[in-house]
């Protein structure tokens, strides 16, 4: 979860090492997009049924994904999609992990926020994406408080740390804000661009610097590795990349 333009879609792309979720100067994600494991790449649009039944499933070419899930291609979800699914042959997803790229929450009363909030009860963990340029805002803290009522496992992902040399200072401030609010959530600093570069050059040290191993460790230990927890739609991530 998160406000607009906080590096969420870029984070999802970095995790699966593929430019799948559109990253746009405008509001990128317009409908919840679930990334799950598949032996071969597949994309499916879920059109809401007029009768209120199961959504109609329509295969979509990968080069047309942005026309369905982005605000530019599908403004205000004019296609009336209930969601979008993308299957990828990735080891990260193979244990049953599902990454859900949700619309940004620019105002709790907005249509995008409603779509994101609706996805939270089915999530096993929530990642709040907030970039490293400033402290958590009051709306972000309010949203985290609400999100924990719907899904108790929450982490704060501090994105774009490579752009902001003072990210450690803001991470410390955010820790204080969470403590005052009574929110127990780890803060994980990440860089999608460092992760992409590390993957491209097979650079282990750069990968560690990207924060990706720490985030994967959270997903492994708190989501996939929980033996008594049934994976439903494992991770809900909001904000836009």
């Amino acid at each position: 979860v998160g406000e607009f333009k906080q590096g969420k879609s870029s984070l999802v792309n970095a995790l699966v090492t593929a430019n799948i979720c559109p990253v746009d100067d405008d509001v990128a994600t317009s409908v919840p997009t679930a990334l799950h494991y598949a032996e071969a790449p597949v994309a499916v649009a879920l059109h809401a049924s007029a009768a209120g039944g199961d959504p109609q499933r329509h295969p979509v070419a990968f080069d047309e994904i942005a026309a369905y899930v982005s605000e530019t291609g599908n403004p205000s979800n004019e296609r009336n999609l209930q969601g979008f699914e993308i299957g990828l042959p990735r080891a990260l997803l193979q244990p049953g992990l599902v990454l859900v790229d949700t619309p940004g929450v620019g105002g709790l009363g907005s249509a995008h926020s409603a779509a994101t909030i609706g996805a939270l009860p089915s999530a096993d963990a929530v990642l709040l994406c907030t970039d490293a340029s400033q402290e958590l805002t009051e709306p972000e803290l309010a949203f985290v408080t609400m999100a924990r009522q719907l899904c108790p496992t929450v982490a704060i992902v501090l994105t774009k740390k490579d752009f902001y040399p003072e990210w450690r200072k803001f991470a410390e401030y955010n820790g204080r804000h969470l403590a005052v609010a009574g929110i127990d959530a780890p803060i994980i600093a990440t860089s999608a661009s460092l992760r992409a570069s590390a993957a491209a050059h097979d650079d282990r040290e750069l990968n560690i610097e990207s924060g990706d191993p720490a985030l994967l460790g959270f997903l492994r230990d708190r989501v996939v590795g929980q033996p008594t927890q049934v994976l439903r739609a494992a991770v809900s991530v909001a904000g836009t990349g």
Side-chain angles (χ1 to χ4, degrees):
V1 297
E3 296 182 346
F4 298 132
K5 308 313 300 173
Q6 297 301 303
K8 176 268 312 172
S9 293
S10 295
L11 174 70
V12 173
N13 288 340
L15 283 172
V16 299
T17 59
N19 292 323
I20 295 296
C21 300
V23 178
D24 203 316
D25 290 335
D26 198 352
V27 182
T29 308
S30 61
V31 295
T33 304
L35 285 77
H36 59 82
Y37 179 79
E39 292 186 0
V42 61
V44 178
L46 306 178
H47 290 272
S49 173
D54 293 337
Q56 299 176 0
R57 302 173 62 87
H58 296 284
V60 173
F62 265 62
D63 59 2
E64 295 180 354
I65 289 177
Y68 286 80
V69 305
S70 72
E71 185 67 17
T72 301
N74 183 21
S76 300
N77 192 20
E78 63 182 12
R79 292 179 181 269
N80 194 30
L81 297 185
Q82 185 170 319
F84 199 90
E85 295 181 358
I86 298 173
L88 293 172
R90 293 292 187 273
L92 168 68
L93 306 175
Q94 193 166 13
L97 185 70
V98 179
L99 299 173
V100 183
D101 184 11
T102 58
V105 291
L108 294 181
S110 72
H112 285 126
S113 297
T116 295
I117 293 169
L120 298 186
S122 65
D124 290 305
V126 173
L127 307 181
L128 172 73
C129 289
T130 180
D131 74 38
S133 65
Q134 63 178 11
E135 304 169 49
L136 285 165
T137 64
E138 289 188 9
E140 286 175 323
L141 285 168
F143 199 93
V144 173
T145 300
M146 180 195 64
R148 288 183 74 246
Q149 297 173 355
L150 299 173
C151 177
T153 303
V154 175
I156 309 301
V157 180
L158 202 64
T159 62
K160 310 177 188 179
K161 72 173 189 176
D162 53 316
F163 285 97
Y164 304 106
E166 295 186 331
W167 66 266
R168 292 179 179 82
K169 176 180 70 174
F170 291 121
E172 181 180 350
Y173 291 162
N174 289 341
R176 295 175 185 173
H177 292 316
L178 293 172
V180 170
I183 299 172
D184 181 15
I187 298 174
I188 305 170
T190 66
S191 166
S193 60
L194 291 181
R195 162 64 174 166
S197 181
H201 297 91
D202 195 23
D203 189 323
R204 184 175 180 274
E205 292 187 4
L206 189 60
N207 191 50
I208 293 174
E209 178 64 21
S210 76
D212 186 72
L215 180 54
L216 292 178
F218 171 82
L219 297 176
R220 180 188 64 244
D221 298 337
R222 299 291 297 274
V223 183
V224 178
Q226 293 292 337
T228 61
Q229 184 175 3
V230 178
L231 289 175
R232 300 179 296 273
V235 182
S236 179
V237 189
T240 54

